[in-house]
Amino acid sequence: MGRFHKFYTKLWLLNNYCVGDSGYTVLSDVVKHLENHQQRSQVKYPCNALSLGIAINELWGDRVNSQRCRVAGTTQKSKAYYNLCRYESENINLDDLCPMSWDALRAFCPAGFSNNSLKDGTITWVKISPSNNTVNGCRVLTEISMTQDANKAPSVAVKHGTHLVNLEKLGIDMSAVFTNEYPSVSEIKAFSCLISTTIFCTGFECEDNIIPDTCSKETWKVSNVNTDKARSKTCELLCDTRKDYCNQCIQVKKSVNKKRKRHENNGNKSKRIKEMNIDELRECLLTEKKLRHNAEMREKNLRAKLDSEMMEFEDEDDSDFKQLFALIEEKDLGGDMKLLFEQQKHCLSQKTSNAHRWHPRIIRLCLNIYARSPHAYDEISKVLILPSKRTLQYKKNRNPQDSGWCYESIRNLKTAADQKCLQDVDRWGGLCFDEMAIQEDLQMVKRNGKNELIGMVSLGGTHQDMQKLMTGELKTETATHILQFVFIGDGGFRYPVAHFPTKECTAATLYRLFWEGVHILLKGGFHVYWACCDGGENNRGFINLHFVGQTPRDSLFTTRNPLTGGKMVFIMDPKHNIKKIRNNIEKSRESGNNVLQHNGRKILWKYWFNAYTVDQTSNSVVVHEKLTEEHFQLTARSKMRNHLAENVLDRKMLFTMQTYKRHLSKQKGQEVTHLDAAIEVLKHTSKLIDFVNDIKNPVRDMSDTRLQDNLSFLQFLDNWHDSEETKNFFSSKLYFDMQSFIIGFQQMCKHKLTIFPASAIMAGIVNQDVVENVFCQARSYNGQNTNPTYDKYCKSQNSIIIGQKTISRKGNASITHS
């Protein structure tokens, strides 16, 4: 659209708003109105409050009064314009929206214009300047002309004074202004009003002796005073917002000012050389000394900054690298590569072996490599001169990872978000938390020159005070688990924000730690409006604490956030729910006590194994190629793997079961029905698995069919639970967790899309995989140690934050996308 996007913005405002006698319009509502219009229009306007506010002030000025007011239903404030009204459908004359004929255009004249004439198939509307200004002896006129063309729509031209505005060159498409072949009355009114309020470039004052060849001279008479002005020969005539000249004239004016200063400086120098007296010479000497002092200080500061950003380390293989870099052409190098080779070249040119200094970008690159694999960094160091491991360890451990909610961690979180240029909408998200077992051991570490004992339970001072009030004594216990909190934004941004060494974290302790974290994150500019946890008993108790006197489902698993007045939604991890569904089916055996049955038909684990066996033995090409014996011969370890559960409940398993049913029906010569209940369950679980793993198609509105599929699954579970077969239903814990996810995610989307209608929520990131991956990376960092000590866990946190992406394939979660 070009720089003159405000042209379309003003035109849109004139077509939709006007000055009224009463009422007011909130600026945020105007922004939403424009966003909705953009979804239907090919022309994209600048959709932000700043540009719209400027356009409203330029169009109507003092006729609308602006004040700040609170937006209904939120704690945010927005600017409101009094006497600015939106056109209502019942107040719009439908005739004004219909395209006009050429004869009707001849008889029409917009307000403020005159001299409606038809000459050689051209209509001209003229507006005379009320101040009687003249340019080169001619009155300043603004003309709008339309020329009839038999083969296409009439062409439109705008002329100011003696200059014609090249609308096409400025990127203004008249087909977006006049949407039909002939314009309507409302379109002409809006366009003429816009031209009337447009600021046209009048050139700039300039002396005759320094007018460049790229300008033309004009004589303006304003209030009976003649003024000589210069105008660029490529003048755009239309001015940008809050500017007196067009961009072309501004560039020429800058060059003219530089030329004028050169003339003035040359005159002053000649005076200083030939005509200066004693006082002027002394003043000149003081000025020169001041300039010299400022230059020396700038050089000193630049050298100090350079020294602070570079680091020293030893030199090796000097002669070999000099020959290598002598053959490299700098023009063939990219940005970061060029910086790396310049650093290598600089190191080789040093005369001493311990005078190497490093750019911060090189340090960050080496930290990323070292954090992922120290052994790989050793191999690279054999062919490149890189910082030593000691230097990298010093940089990596600058920020010690202490337990609890630390403001230093929140500052690091904010810095990471700023580096990724996250918008306000991307700083809304949830807190995921989970526990991992660690070695029950105490370690002695040195911090700030003093020894410190770590590895004990540390849940904050409030926890200790409550423990003393309840038991009358203060116990010191060794931690056996780590409680990890991870913030995850709705756009995929993730960051481990806090951890606590604990032994058994009760629901009441979780309640206090969670809301303390929500408060601290809110101070840092991050809004937490949902929480995700697994189906542990303490986690269910934590959720139930928010719903005293009623069930969580009655409140839609949503409570009031006391810090913001908004909503807080509680969601059980969908990946754990899928594993629990598989486990419930795996326990359903004919000889057992936990047989699942729906509509009189049993749901047995052997149906899955038989379908797998037939698929492997009877088909030349297997239907479900991912199924193996490991999916059915489950152990305590394999039951924790997400993909093993998803593979036996996904869409391919549904197709495999349907194929198995057809196989049996063909063998028996009649339709078999004992697999119908299992197939019915797979129809719902396959849609759920597709939904929770989808990271490419986010939810953008509440009419998303996938949300309706989730509600259908919940209705299926409700009907089953309320039927006479309730004893042959899934476990009550699984039923609670499924309600939490389906209803909670529904409320989460509803809340976010109400506040940010143009936002999107990816279901594939609303789970505990981010926490599981932190645990997997902590284990892999310590040599695949499944049970690290607390000290090793703390040291691995910096490596995880810096960028380690190595994820153990033996972990519970797959790779998390961020």
Side-chain angles (χ1 to χ4, degrees), residues 311-569:
M311 302 190 67
E312 299 183 1
F313 94 118
E314 296 183 358
D315 179 21
E316 293 180 359
D317 301 328
D318 181 76
S319 59
D320 295 338
F321 276 109
K322 283 184 178 180
Q323 296 178 4
L324 175 65
F325 287 111
L327 302 175
I328 297 176
E329 303 251 350
E330 291 189 4
K331 63 180 181 179
D332 298 332
L333 301 177
D336 291 339
M337 185 181 294
K338 184 176 180 180
L339 175 62
L340 175 62
F341 277 90
E342 284 178 351
Q343 291 273 270
Q344 298 292 307
K345 187 176 181 181
H346 172 75
C347 293
L348 292 173
S349 63
Q350 297 296 317
K351 295 182 179 179
T352 60
S353 59
N354 57 352
H356 300 315
R357 303 176 186 274
W358 297 97
H359 194 278
R361 287 163 61 186
I362 300 298
I363 292 292
R364 286 195 294 269
L365 172 64
C366 295
L367 272 174
N368 283 332
I369 300 174
Y370 178 74
R372 295 178 188 181
S373 174
H375 179 70
Y377 186 79
D378 291 338
E379 296 299 321
I380 298 175
S381 299
K382 294 178 181 179
V383 294
L384 291 176
I385 304 177
L386 298 176
S388 65
K389 286 186 177 181
R390 183 177 181 181
T391 299
L392 297 182
Q393 290 174 353
Y394 169 76
K395 288 288 185 181
K396 180 173 72 73
N397 296 323
R398 280 187 309 180
N399 300 321
Q401 296 294 325
D402 296 327
S403 63
W405 292 103
C406 306
Y407 286 99
E408 182 66 27
S409 297
I410 304 303
R411 281 195 293 269
N412 295 336
L413 166 66
K414 190 173 182 181
T415 301
D418 293 339
Q419 289 176 352
K420 294 191 175 183
C421 302
L422 295 186
Q423 303 297 322
D424 290 340
V425 64
D426 297 322
R427 297 175 191 241
W428 283 60
L431 269 182
C432 298
F433 53 91
D434 197 4
E435 287 184 335
M436 182 188 83
I438 59 173
Q439 291 185 28
E440 190 175 358
D441 190 17
L442 298 178
Q443 301 89 40
M444 190 75 69
V445 297
K446 182 168 287 189
R447 293 179 180 175
N448 299 324
K450 297 182 179 180
N451 293 325
E452 182 179 345
L453 190 64
I454 63 173
M456 295 175 291
V457 173
S458 177
L459 295 173
T462 305
H463 173 77
Q464 295 178 349
D465 295 339
M466 294 300 297
Q467 186 185 46
K468 190 172 183 180
L469 286 174
M470 291 187 297
T471 62
E473 59 180 355
L474 192 61
K475 292 183 179 180
T476 301
E477 298 179 294
T478 307
T480 59
H481 289 78
I482 285 288
L483 174 64
Q484 178 71 58
F485 285 87
V486 177
F487 173 80
I488 176 168
D490 291 339
F493 173 73
R494 60 176 180 174
Y495 197 93
V497 288
H499 69 270
F500 298 86
T502 180
K503 193 164 188 176
E504 181 182 0
C505 193
T506 63
T509 303
L510 269 177
Y511 185 95
R512 179 182 59 81
L513 296 178
F514 175 79
W515 285 108
E516 182 182 353
V518 173
H519 186 208
I520 293 178
L521 287 169
L522 183 62
K523 288 183 177 181
F526 296 87
H527 296 260
V528 177
Y529 72 101
W530 58 270
C532 182
C533 56
D534 61 21
E537 196 62 37
N538 288 334
N539 293 338
R540 292 193 191 90
F542 159 73
I543 295 177
N544 288 323
L545 284 177
H546 295 84
F547 306 99
V548 180
Q550 58 183 340
T551 64
R553 180 163 183 175
D554 293 337
S555 300
L556 303 178
F557 290 88
T558 304
T559 188
R560 179 179 176 273
N561 188 335
L563 302 173
T564 63
K567 294 182 178 182
M568 180 64 70
V569 184

Side-chain angles (χ1 to χ4, degrees), residues 491-772:
F493 173 73
R494 60 176 180 174
Y495 197 93
V497 288
H499 69 270
F500 298 86
T502 180
K503 193 164 188 176
E504 181 182 0
C505 193
T506 63
T509 303
L510 269 177
Y511 185 95
R512 179 182 59 81
L513 296 178
F514 175 79
W515 285 108
E516 182 182 353
V518 173
H519 186 208
I520 293 178
L521 287 169
L522 183 62
K523 288 183 177 181
F526 296 87
H527 296 260
V528 177
Y529 72 101
W530 58 270
C532 182
C533 56
D534 61 21
E537 196 62 37
N538 288 334
N539 293 338
R540 292 193 191 90
F542 159 73
I543 295 177
N544 288 323
L545 284 177
H546 295 84
F547 306 99
V548 180
Q550 58 183 340
T551 64
R553 180 163 183 175
D554 293 337
S555 300
L556 303 178
F557 290 88
T558 304
T559 188
R560 179 179 176 273
N561 188 335
L563 302 173
T564 63
K567 294 182 178 182
M568 180 64 70
V569 184
F570 299 97
I571 299 173
M572 286 297 187
D573 179 26
K575 299 300 183 72
H576 279 77
N577 292 344
I578 293 171
K579 288 188 289 188
K580 289 178 182 178
I581 294 175
R582 189 275 316 275
N583 293 341
N584 274 249
I585 298 175
E586 191 265 340
K587 294 177 183 178
S588 179
R589 305 172 187 270
E590 288 183 329
S591 59
N593 297 324
N594 301 317
V595 179
L596 300 179
Q597 183 172 316
H598 178 62
N599 289 338
R601 296 181 176 89
K602 295 181 179 180
I603 304 173
L604 302 177
W605 180 241
K606 71 176 183 178
Y607 296 163
W608 271 258
F609 182 74
N610 292 340
Y612 159 72
T613 304
V614 171
D615 184 32
Q616 294 289 324
T617 58
S618 301
N619 298 326
S620 57
V621 178
V622 295
V623 177
H624 201 330
E625 74 283 356
K626 293 183 179 180
L627 289 183
T628 62
E629 290 291 333
E630 188 181 8
H631 287 79
F632 301 96
Q633 306 300 327
L634 297 174
T635 63
R637 188 182 185 88
S638 62
K639 284 183 179 180
M640 300 300 295
R641 303 292 300 276
N642 285 348
H643 76 279
L644 295 180
E646 293 174 359
N647 289 343
V648 297
L649 296 173
D650 61 5
R651 193 173 299 275
K652 285 189 176 182
M653 189 69 235
L654 170 62
F655 186 55
T656 303
M657 191 68 74
Q658 292 172 337
T659 304
Y660 175 55
K661 178 183 177 180
R662 289 194 295 269
H663 173 77
L664 293 181
S665 299
K666 186 177 180 180
Q667 277 186 345
K668 296 183 179 181
Q670 61 180 1
E671 185 78 12
V672 297
T673 59
H674 67 279
L675 298 176
D676 290 349
I679 292 176
E680 184 70 18
V681 171
L682 285 173
K683 287 180 179 179
H684 291 291
T685 58
S686 60
K687 293 180 181 179
L688 178 66
I689 291 173
D690 290 342
F691 179 64
V692 300
N693 288 325
D694 195 347
I695 60 171
K696 296 182 179 179
N697 302 301
V699 177
R700 300 185 182 276
D701 56 71
M702 296 304 297
S703 61
D704 195 308
T705 56
R706 295 171 296 176
L707 296 180
Q708 304 305 318
D709 292 338
N710 290 344
L711 293 178
S712 299
F713 192 8
L714 181 60
Q715 186 63 45
F716 170 77
L717 295 176
D718 290 340
N719 295 338
W720 189 358
H721 178 266
D722 297 336
S723 66
E724 296 179 354
E725 299 172 319
T726 183
K727 294 183 179 180
N728 303 105
F729 183 59
F730 292 127
S731 66
S732 59
K733 296 179 180 179
L734 172 59
Y735 185 44
F736 179 91
D737 296 350
M738 288 298 299
Q739 293 178 83
S740 173
F741 170 70
I742 295 176
I743 298 176
F745 189 84
Q746 197 90 1
Q747 295 302 311
M748 168 188 165
C749 296
K750 184 177 180 181
H751 180 58
K752 181 65 178 296
L753 296 175
T754 300
I755 300 176
F756 299 100
S759 61
I761 300 174
M762 290 188 293
I765 64 174
V766 183
N767 52 57
Q768 278 196 307
D769 280 2
V770 288
V771 190
E772 294 288 352

Side-chain angles (χ1 to χ4, degrees), residues 64-84:
V64 293
N65 300 321
S66 63
Q67 293 183 3
R68 294 191 66 81
C69 67
R70 190 179 300 276
V71 180
T74 66
T75 59
Q76 299 178 351
K77 289 187 177 181
S78 178
K79 185 179 290 185
Y81 290 92
Y82 290 84
N83 299 331
L84 180 64

Side-chain angles (χ1 to χ4, degrees), residues 154-377:
S155 58
V156 181
V158 178
K159 188 176 182 182
H160 181 71
T162 59
H163 301 280
L164 183 67
V165 180
N166 192 335
L167 299 176
E168 182 178 356
K169 183 177 179 181
L170 297 178
I172 300 175
D173 185 8
M174 292 306 298
S175 63
V177 178
F178 298 152
T179 56
N180 297 296
E181 183 177 1
Y182 286 95
S184 63
V185 173
S186 61
E187 289 176 338
I188 293 179
K189 287 181 178 179
F191 183 68
S192 60
C193 182
L194 178 59
I195 295 299
S196 300
T197 58
T198 298
I199 300 175
F200 290 94
C201 178
T202 59
F204 56 92
E205 297 184 10
C206 185
E207 300 174 5
D208 292 341
N209 59 336
I210 55 175
I211 294 180
D213 296 335
T214 57
C215 292
S216 58
K217 179 182 177 182
E218 294 179 350
T219 302
W220 283 74
K221 185 177 181 181
V222 181
S223 301
N224 296 324
V225 177
N226 292 331
T227 305
D228 291 335
K229 292 187 176 184
R231 182 194 297 272
S232 172
K233 292 181 180 180
T234 58
C235 178
E236 296 172 342
L237 290 179
L238 295 182
C239 299
D240 281 347
T241 302
R242 298 181 178 180
K243 292 183 180 180
D244 297 329
Y245 317 109
C246 69
N247 282 2
Q248 298 296 328
C249 290
I250 289 175
Q251 296 299 326
V252 176
K253 185 182 179 183
K254 289 181 180 179
S255 63
V256 169
N257 290 338
K258 291 181 181 179
K259 187 175 181 181
R260 182 188 296 113
K261 288 181 180 179
R262 286 198 298 269
H263 283 293
E264 293 174 355
N265 292 336
N266 291 336
N268 293 336
K269 286 182 180 179
S270 62
K271 179 182 178 182
R272 285 199 295 270
I273 295 173
K274 298 180 181 179
E275 302 176 3
M276 278 186 181
N277 54 31
I278 297 298
D279 294 334
E280 290 175 340
L281 286 172
R282 288 175 178 171
E283 183 180 357
C284 180
L285 181 60
L286 291 175
T287 302
E288 293 295 334
K289 286 184 177 180
K290 185 177 180 180
L291 293 175
R292 179 181 177 182
H293 175 73
N294 291 340
E296 291 176 350
M297 291 302 297
R298 283 197 301 271
E299 181 183 3
K300 182 179 179 181
N301 292 335
L302 289 174
R303 288 186 179 277
K305 183 179 179 181
L306 183 64
D307 292 339
S308 64
E309 293 183 350
M310 309 295 277
M311 302 190 67
E312 299 183 1
F313 94 118
E314 296 183 358
D315 179 21
E316 293 180 359
D317 301 328
D318 181 76
S319 59
D320 295 338
F321 276 109
K322 283 184 178 180
Q323 296 178 4
L324 175 65
F325 287 111
L327 302 175
I328 297 176
E329 303 251 350
E330 291 189 4
K331 63 180 181 179
D332 298 332
L333 301 177
D336 291 339
M337 185 181 294
K338 184 176 180 180
L339 175 62
L340 175 62
F341 277 90
E342 284 178 351
Q343 291 273 270
Q344 298 292 307
K345 187 176 181 181
H346 172 75
C347 293
L348 292 173
S349 63
Q350 297 296 317
K351 295 182 179 179
T352 60
S353 59
N354 57 352
H356 300 315
R357 303 176 186 274
W358 297 97
H359 194 278
R361 287 163 61 186
I362 300 298
I363 292 292
R364 286 195 294 269
L365 172 64
C366 295
L367 272 174
N368 283 332
I369 300 174
Y370 178 74
R372 295 178 188 181
S373 174
H375 179 70
Y377 186 79

